[in-house]
Amino acid sequence: MLLLHGATCDSHDWSWQIDPFAADHRVIAPDLRSHGRSSEIPGDHTPKIFAEDLALLLDRIGAGPVIAVGHSLGGTVASVLAVERPDLVRAVVALDPGYGFDEEFAAGAADAFRGPDPIAVATALLSSVESTEPLPATEWLPTWHRRRTLGMSPEVVAKVFIGMFEASGDVTRRPAGEKYLRRRACPVLTVSTQTVLNIKGIDVGWDESVASVHPYSLAVVWDTGHWLQQERPSTFNALVLGWMAGLPS
């Protein structure tokens, strides 16, 4: 299982999953380039670049095909890896994935991250998708999420979000992204939230069924915040492991 975190996050996002998943599976939880403990690297930071990094990693360590589990941006990266290197991906699990944006929303988001304070834009955006009614055990999560973003380079934050909203328009933006995502030949489990992103007054909605065409694909929606694997870890872990158990060989 390859666990892929979202933008301005790191592999610690999977602290609730690593041990339960590792009980019966090999687990690989990297930090994407310029995130967490990985080196800050110049150049583009698009989902395709991240997927190329991961393909090199999997080839180097002799792993795969994997179940690629990705949150937010990580869900996009997992999907790109499945399209570009289908030999490395057996299935995709996408948690509130970072794709399906309409053109107007994506353009407004990219413009916002070109402004003078991309860190402020990122913290505002991510705060808007936190749970509105957190459980007592998870009410500290927004502070943790915000502080990680505050500790990142503004240049990296801008590149990552512009890379997702604009530079990867053929992957993340409708209608071109729908055609690209339908190239995922493997099963896809999508777990989305009811939270609606809004930038400059534009709401974002997405129907996963238009892009997940494998007959074993499944899409579910939960009433949680964006980091659903942290808010409902036991339920999420059981869903993923149960779905995986029935994957066609």
Side-chain angles (χ1 to χ4, degrees):
M1 300 181 73
L2 177 68
L3 309 184
L4 305 176
H5 62 79
T8 76
C9 300
D10 56 43
S11 56
H12 287 92
D13 269 11
W14 303 107
S15 298
W16 295 257
Q17 282 71 51
I18 289 174
D19 285 345
F21 289 171
D24 293 300
H25 304 275
R26 181 184 185 186
V27 173
I28 305 162
D31 291 339
L32 299 178
R33 65 164 60 192
S34 303
H35 289 74
R37 293 163 295 175
S38 290
S39 300
E40 186 171 323
I41 300 175
D44 292 337
H45 285 58
T46 66
K48 287 186 177 180
I49 292 293
F50 290 130
E52 289 175 4
D53 290 343
L54 293 166
L56 289 172
L57 170 65
L58 295 176
D59 284 339
R60 175 67 63 87
I61 65 176
V66 298
I67 310 295
V69 183
H71 172 246
S72 195
L73 168 65
T76 307
V77 176
S79 296
V80 171
L81 187 63
V83 170
E84 303 297 337
R85 288 292 305 273
D87 58 308
L88 292 177
V89 181
R90 182 184 176 203
V92 169
V93 179
L95 289 67
D96 229 14
Y99 54 65
F101 308 121
D102 67 30
E103 294 281 350
E104 187 178 4
F105 169 83
D111 285 345
F113 280 99
R114 286 195 176 89
D117 194 349
I119 295 288
V121 176
T123 55
L125 175 62
L126 297 178
S127 294
S128 73
V129 293
E130 295 280 4
S131 179
T132 56
E133 296 182 1
L135 297 172
T138 63
E139 58 188 8
W140 55 274
L141 284 174
T143 298
W144 181 46
H145 298 151
R146 183 176 65 255
R147 287 180 61 81
R148 286 187 303 176
T149 303
L150 292 171
M152 291 191 67
S153 158
E155 292 77 15
V156 167
V157 171
K159 287 192 293 186
V160 168
F161 281 100
I162 292 172
M164 180 170 63
F165 288 121
E166 182 176 86
S168 298
D170 61 327
V171 177
T172 62
R173 295 161 73 158
R174 304 195 302 264
E178 296 174 6
K179 182 178 180 181
Y180 181 87
L181 292 167
R182 282 197 291 270
R183 290 170 56 194
R184 297 176 297 186
C186 62
V188 180
L189 168 62
T190 308
V191 190
S192 303
T193 74
Q194 293 181 344
T195 304
V196 177
L197 282 169
N198 184 292
I199 287 184
K200 296 185 176 181
I202 305 169
D203 291 340
V204 181
W206 169 252
D207 179 6
E208 179 67 29
S209 64
V210 303
S212 297
V213 296
H214 191 283
Y216 196 71
S217 292
L218 174 68
V220 299
V221 179
W222 288 358
D223 186 15
T224 67
H226 184 51
W227 282 267
L228 47 86
Q229 79 275 29
Q230 298 170 7
E231 290 191 47
R232 299 184 183 177
S234 297
T235 305
F236 173 76
N237 296 349
L239 171 65
V240 172
L241 293 172
W243 181 78
M244 285 173 51
L247 283 174
S249 57

